[in-house]
Structure formats: C-alpha cells, structure tokens
Amino acid sequence: MTLTKKSYVAKSVEKMRPSGIRKFFDLAATMEGVVSLGVGEPDFVTTWSVREAAINSLERGFTSYTANAGLIELRTEIARYMADRFRVSYSPQEEVIVTVGASQALDIAMRAIIDPGDEIIVVEPCFVSYAPLVELTGGHAVTIGTTGETGFKLQPEQLEAAITPRTKAVLLCYPNNPTGTQLDREDLEAIASIVKKHDLLVIADEIYAELAYDQSHTSIASLSGMRERTILINGFSKGFAMTGWRLGFTCAPEEISRAMLKIHQYTMMCASTPAQYAAVEALQNGMADVESMKKDYRQRRNYMVQSFKEIGLDCHLPGGAFYVFPSIQSTGLTSEQFAEALLLEEKVAVVPGSVFGKGGEGYIRCSYASSMSQLQEAIKRISRFLEKQKRSAV
Amino acid sequence: MKLNEKEVEILEILQKDARFEAVDIAKMIGTSETEVAETIRRLEEEKVIVHYATLVDWAKMDNFTGVTAMIDVKVTPKRGVGFDEVAERIYRFKEVSSVYLMSGVYDLSVTVEGQSMNEIARFVSEKLSTLDSVVSTTTHFQLKKYKHDGKIYASKREDNRIVVSP
Ligand SMILES: Cc1ncc(COP(=O)(O)O)c(C=O)c1O
C-alpha cells in the first residue's frame, strides 16, 4: 500500500494561482540598476504633518483598540470628505467602516454579499486580487475583457451580455489599475441603468478617485438610484500616499454596512489606531498636498504618453491613477516576452498586461509613480530596446 | 502682469529643477517645444525668471571656512523713498546675498556671506552700521544648513519600495 501524503491545504486555496506579478518581482529583485515602472504605489512619502499626527497619538498613549468601525472622528471626517469631494452622503455612525486598506474593504464587501454560486462580474484588465477574492468566498467570477479600441472602457452591451440569473454584483474600478482608464458621467449612467434594470449591486473600487486628471471623479454612487445598490471602496493608500499605513474604508447603505461590520468585527476588530489618527489629520489638513502630488502625476502622465507615442508605442491617454498602458503589439512579442526581454536587456521593470486578465495581452503596465529623472531614463532604455527589436526583425 | 496657466506651470517646473529642457516640459504640459522655448525666453526677458543658479553644499568641501550671517537691521525710513533707498545702499555690497523688508520689530533682514566671522564683523561695524539711516543691527551667524530653498541638505531619503507591486 502506498501512502500519498495528505494535503492539509484547502482545495479552494490550492486552486488559486499565484499572482503573475510575483514572477517579475522575483526576477527584478535579484538585479542591480533596475529602473522600475512596476511599482503600484506612490513615490511620495506621506506628508510630514500626517506622520507627525501618528507620532503624536503614540506619545499621548493612544494605543488601544478603537470602535470596530473606526474612530468616530475619522468616520465623521470621511463622511464629510465623501460629501464634499464626490457628492455622496453617508452616516458616519451607520454607513462608514474604516478598514485595513482597500484590500480588506474589498474582502468584507465580497463576504457580506456572496452566497455560494453567486456570480460576480469582474471587468478586466483589473487589479489582480478581484477574481481570487470572489472565488475564496465561494462565488464565481465572471470576467469581461475590455479592449484597447474602446480605451478599456466597459461597454454597456458587454455588461448586458454577461448578466445571468445568478449575477449578484458588478465589480468596477475607475480610475483603473492597470489601464488608468476613467469613466465619465455618461459612461457611468449607461452602466448604472443596466445595473438598475437587473437589480444588481455594484462594488466600486474608487481607490484612485483622487487621482483623476482631466475632470474631477464622478462616483457611481452619486448617480440617481445608485446609492442604495453601491458599496464604495476607497482609502488613503494612493491619493494620500499612505500605502504602508494600511488604511481604507467602505461606504455603503446601512443594511450592507451592518453585514460588513459583523465580519470586520470578528476578523479584524479594528484598523490600526495610530494610522487612524494620521488619517484624521490627512483629511483635515492634507488636501493641499494631495493636489500638489496630483499635479506632478499629471505632468508625468503627459510626459509618458507623449514619449511612448514618439518612440512608436501606441498609447491611450489614461484619465487617472498612475499607470499608462501602451500597446506592444507592433513588436510581435507577447506582453510577457516583452517584459522579460526588456528587464534582462535594458533593466527596466514593467508588468505584462496579461497578468491583469482578459484584454491585457499585448499591453504593458508602466507606473509613473517615479521621479521625472527615472522616467526619462526608462524611456531612453525602452527606446533603445525597441530599436534593437526592430533591427533584429529585419 | 497676468500669467496664464501654462506659464505658471512652466515656472513651477523650472523652479523645482532649472535643468528641465523645453522638449520635456512640452511633453509634461501638453504643448509644443517651440511654444515652451518661446515662453521661457519671454519670461526671462521680462525678468519673471530672474536667474538660474546651482545650490551648492559648500560644507562638503574640506577646509571650507565660509560663514553666513543674518542681520536684523533697524532703519529710519526717508521721506519720499521709504525703505527703498537704504535697502539699495545695502544690497549693492557684494557681500550681501539677500535683503528683505520685514514686518515686526526690525525693518530689513540682510544676509551676508563672508570668508570668516571677522570679515563679517568688519562689514557690519564698518559698512552697515555706519550708514546714516541704520539705527541698530543684530547679527546671527548660521551654524549649519539643514534645508535651503526647499531642498534638504544631506538628505537621507531613499526609495524603499519593492520593485514590482500590484
Ligand atoms: C485597484 C486597487 N484596489 C485596491 C488596492 C489595494 O489598496 P490598499 O493598499 O489600500 O489595500 C490597490 C493597490 O494596488 C489597487 O490598485
């Protein structure tokens, strides 16, 4: 009798594939002199006054748990901020939950609404954790691939076609990681009307809402009839340059918020206390810094798009976040081949579009959360790489 | 003078780093290289752009002995010309690197650079305090430069981010 070793790992976890980003990280991390366009977080350090607020809270000994949903001062500031910036109104007592990053916000949102077998529509290319999160919760991720021809905007017909009787919710992320695509009010209205027609929920990951460069961000929850069917995910990581603090939040109608809070209370208790004090300061006095970072990002975005065009890579102008998503189809390489060769030959790290799901093949994600001098160096190297590719092709 | 949005943005970029070239600035703000070059030329001509210089951390040089003093100067303003005349008499000295008219308990803030404390002491007693309208001076010597014109000297900042992240 042969004994095969029993696996203690859950089948649902065994099934999960490791993120494709990991592979590039492992490769790039061993190399010297890499210029990285692969970073999904701001290059700015958190504003000093915000850091100081956290230090101050520690000096004063605020080291205990907060309320499960977060400090009421913070929730009040969040509600005020959401109303001022995005014209959506939530009760700080009942409808705002402070979470450990947008990541945990996404997790409690999924767990609060998914029954086994429920279908969640995930619009790709997208942030790598959406589909795994849905599957972990026992749901089924139904993916739609957007394309470069439409600037990676979700088309209403695509959404309509993906809906089945089992569809529970649509997960949207605008401004988008990895494409930078932003939807304007009209685009959102078209999607909202389908969502309402089929009585669906929307999970709206608006973590990049502060980083919208051409017009201010429209939250889907602000459209008529959408507030009661939207779970807003937002946080401090991107716009406020606070990734390492791990602080995000949800805004959702009372019934859903109560459900999310149950999960949050048993799995997390509350978000980090010093980080919450820092976030209060960020919302009260940090907006000018957000604006100034945004101005820098906008200049870099323009620089990257124009430079890619000049060196022969097609690139749509992304409305937000800090990514450009140029097409590398003219090289005849797959996005993974391109990214690997670029890293080995010219030491520039980018992320192949294919890791972000359907529609990503043929593109690379380039983050411009780096200094202008780094971006200039990256463009120089990519240009040299493309020349070499062209020469070896003839 | 009214400056438009593009002009302001060009100035902001150059103020951060004067070595940005017109071709890159053009890409950053979405206009043509010739327009940027032309705008910069005009702003230089109109003295909105006063000068381009380099921030040097002289303290890094072995045997560097130079000193900088900030002097609070009280003066009696002259009828008709106010503080301008005495300010001009002061800023003409080549030792003087800046002169500001201030609100508060004194009138002019004068920065003086010299090779030694002695040299500055001589400048204050022989040149500055002997001016007719100067009533009093208080001299403060700088001991160490931590931050100057928005730049942190001896900055320890490095990029600690992981190379590739979602
Ligand atoms: C679209 C998107 N959602 C959520 C997150 C996670 O954010 P947080 O760091 O706040 O957990 C990221 C981070 O990369 C993201 O790009």
Side-chain angles (χ1 to χ4, degrees):
Chain A
M1 193 177 76
T2 50
L3 270 175
T4 46
K5 190 177 175 309
K6 174 175 159 195
S7 169
Y8 296 104
V9 175
K11 291 200 178 53
S12 56
V13 178
E14 225 150 43
K15 255 191 355 206
M16 289 169 82
R17 285 185 309 136
S19 155
I21 284 188
R22 189 73 222 170
K23 190 174 138 190
F24 275 86
F25 170 71
D26 290 342
L27 189 56
T30 60
M31 295 170 63
E32 289 276 325
V34 172
V35 174
S36 183
L37 304 182
V39 189
E41 60 179 323
D43 56 314
F44 298 101
V45 174
T46 310
T47 306
W48 172 244
S49 75
V50 173
R51 285 185 274 158
E52 224 223 349
I55 295 168
N56 193 34
S57 78
L58 292 172
E59 281 177 349
R60 288 159 69 193
F62 296 160
T63 57
S64 40
Y65 295 126
T66 67
N68 290 133
L71 287 172
I72 187 66
E73 296 104 289
L74 177 55
R75 281 180 284 150
T76 305
E77 284 301 330
I78 290 171
R80 186 190 54 76
Y81 164 77
M82 293 302 280
D84 287 355
R85 294 286 289 144
F86 309 116
R87 301 206 186 96
V88 286
S89 125
Y90 291 95
S91 146
Q93 282 81 15
E94 321 289 347
E95 299 179 319
V96 177
I97 303 172
V98 178
T99 60
V100 180
S103 300
Q104 192 227 343
L106 283 163
D107 184 34
I108 58 174
M110 309 272 193
R111 292 205 248 179
I113 62 160
I114 295 177
D115 279 318
D118 280 351
E119 293 179 358
I120 307 296
I121 295 177
V122 174
V123 185
E124 295 181 334
C126 70
F127 185 48
V128 291
S129 59
Y130 293 161
L133 268 178
V134 172
E135 305 284 341
L136 259 186
T137 329
H140 179 49
V142 174
T143 55
I144 299 178
T146 55
T147 66
E149 287 76 58
T150 58
F152 297 98
K153 286 184 173 191
L154 171 64
Q155 303 300 298
E157 317 78 79
Q158 288 184 296
L159 177 58
E160 188 87 58
I163 293 170
T164 75
R166 301 242 48 179
T167 306
K168 185 81 169 262
V170 188
L171 180 41
L172 297 176
C173 173
Y174 296 102
N176 182 266
N177 174 7
T179 64
T181 294
Q182 172 67 317
L183 295 191
D184 55 32
R185 176 172 288 270
E186 229 167 88
D187 301 322
L188 288 171
E189 290 281 8
I191 289 166
S193 83
I194 297 171
V195 166
K196 283 184 277 190
K197 187 170 95 188
H198 293 274
D199 195 15
L200 305 177
L201 262 174
V202 168
I203 300 176
D205 181 349
E206 300 188 353
I207 186 77
Y208 292 100
E210 271 305 335
L211 305 178
Y213 305 114
D214 300 319
Q215 55 207 35
S216 62
H217 175 77
T218 302
S219 172
I220 193 163
S222 70
L223 303 186
S224 105
M226 286 306 293
R227 185 191 183 282
E228 63 258 36
R229 54 177 73 254
T230 302
I231 304 176
L232 279 187
I233 309 285
N234 207 322
F236 298 89
S237 295
K238 314 290 174 165
F240 292 86
M242 293 179 70
T243 42
W245 299 81
R246 313 305 306 124
L247 208 65
F249 55 88
T250 60
C251 293
E254 195 176 337
E255 186 196 3
I256 298 175
S257 287
R258 235 188 344 251
M260 291 193 292
L261 188 58
K262 267 200 240 172
I263 303 162
H264 181 71
Q265 148 192 322
Y266 288 130
T267 56
M268 198 58 68
M269 296 279 278
C270 67
S272 148
T273 303
Q276 293 190 55
Y277 281 102
V280 171
E281 168 66 19
L283 290 177
Q284 284 175 348
N285 299 309
M287 291 318 291
D289 276 299
V290 172
E291 281 305 315
S292 131
M293 290 188 268
K294 183 168 141 185
K295 202 161 191 177
D296 278 15
Y297 287 134
R298 184 173 193 277
Q299 289 171 356
R300 297 175 192 173
R301 172 199 68 162
N302 295 346
Y303 173 80
M304 291 301 275
V305 170
Q306 192 55 35
S307 298
F308 276 129
K309 282 185 182 155
E310 283 178 17
I311 64 177
L313 295 185
D314 230 19
C315 188
H316 77 282
L317 181 72
F322 36 60
Y323 310 103
V324 287
F325 206 59
S327 162
I328 48 92
Q329 285 158 34
S330 60
T331 63
L333 300 174
T334 66
S335 60
E336 198 162 332
Q337 288 166 339
F338 184 97
E340 195 165 333
L342 180 63
L343 181 57
L344 294 175
E345 289 174 33
E346 289 290 349
K347 296 191 177 178
V348 177
V350 299
V351 182
S354 55
V355 312
F356 301 101
K358 280 183 195 159
E361 182 49 76
Y363 297 83
I364 52 170
R365 188 192 75 173
C366 301
S367 157
Y368 49 87
S370 277
S371 67
M372 270 302 297
S373 59
Q374 289 280 295
L375 298 179
Q376 286 168 321
E377 177 63 24
I379 291 290
K380 206 163 72 191
R381 294 187 189 188
I382 295 173
S383 165
R384 198 159 58 203
F385 175 77
L386 290 172
E387 288 303 320
K388 255 190 293 179
Q389 289 293 320
K390 246 184 265 167
R391 274 202 304 277
S392 63
V394 289
Chain B
M1 183 185 335
K2 257 219 156 76
L3 295 180
N4 65 34
E5 228 171 274
K6 284 245 155 78
E7 290 166 329
V8 172
E9 203 167 356
I10 291 172
L11 289 171
E12 285 172 349
I13 292 170
L14 286 176
Q15 194 177 24
K16 269 188 225 161
D17 185 349
R19 288 176 42 147
F20 271 118
E21 292 179 28
V23 56
D24 291 332
I25 297 176
K27 287 182 204 162
M28 290 160 77
I29 66 173
T31 179
S32 72
E33 182 181 348
T34 42
E35 195 191 325
V36 173
E38 171 53 29
T39 306
I40 293 176
R41 196 196 53 75
R42 212 179 50 248
L43 291 167
E44 287 170 352
E45 212 171 84
E46 284 161 355
K47 287 280 176 202
V48 177
I49 295 177
V50 181
H51 182 64
Y52 304 95
T54 305
L55 287 188
V56 179
D57 187 359
W58 286 111
K60 287 249 161 63
M61 185 176 96
D62 289 345
N63 312 324
F64 178 70
T65 55
V67 280
T68 303
M70 297 167 84
I71 308 168
D72 310 341
V73 185
K74 278 190 192 160
V75 299
T76 23
K78 275 227 180 95
R79 187 183 300 268
V81 290
F83 293 99
D84 295 357
E85 192 189 88
V86 59
E88 189 175 341
R89 294 189 78 100
I90 293 173
Y91 67 59
R92 283 199 169 138
F93 288 108
K94 68 166 181 13
E95 297 91 328
V96 171
S97 64
S98 72
V99 177
Y100 307 111
L101 178 62
M102 309 295 288
S103 66
V105 294
Y106 61 94
D107 307 303
L108 296 172
S109 172
V110 176
T111 311
V112 177
E113 285 170 16
Q115 291 305 315
S116 65
M117 272 167 77
N118 258 341
E119 191 183 309
I120 289 180
R122 214 170 326 120
F123 173 80
V124 174
S125 58
E126 291 172 14
K127 309 272 175 53
L128 196 57
S129 49
T130 52
L131 290 174
D132 269 352
S133 21
V134 169
V135 179
S136 75
T137 63
T138 313
T139 304
H140 313 273
F141 285 99
Q142 288 181 4
L143 301 181
K144 183 171 178 179
K145 214 175 243 180
Y146 291 102
K147 188 176 183 182
H148 184 73
D149 281 357
K151 287 282 167 246
I152 297 170
Y153 282 47
S155 169
K156 289 173 290 246
R157 163 129 162 70
E158 349 167 351
D159 194 341
N160 298 317
R161 298 175 300 162
I162 54 177
V163 215
V164 178
S165 54

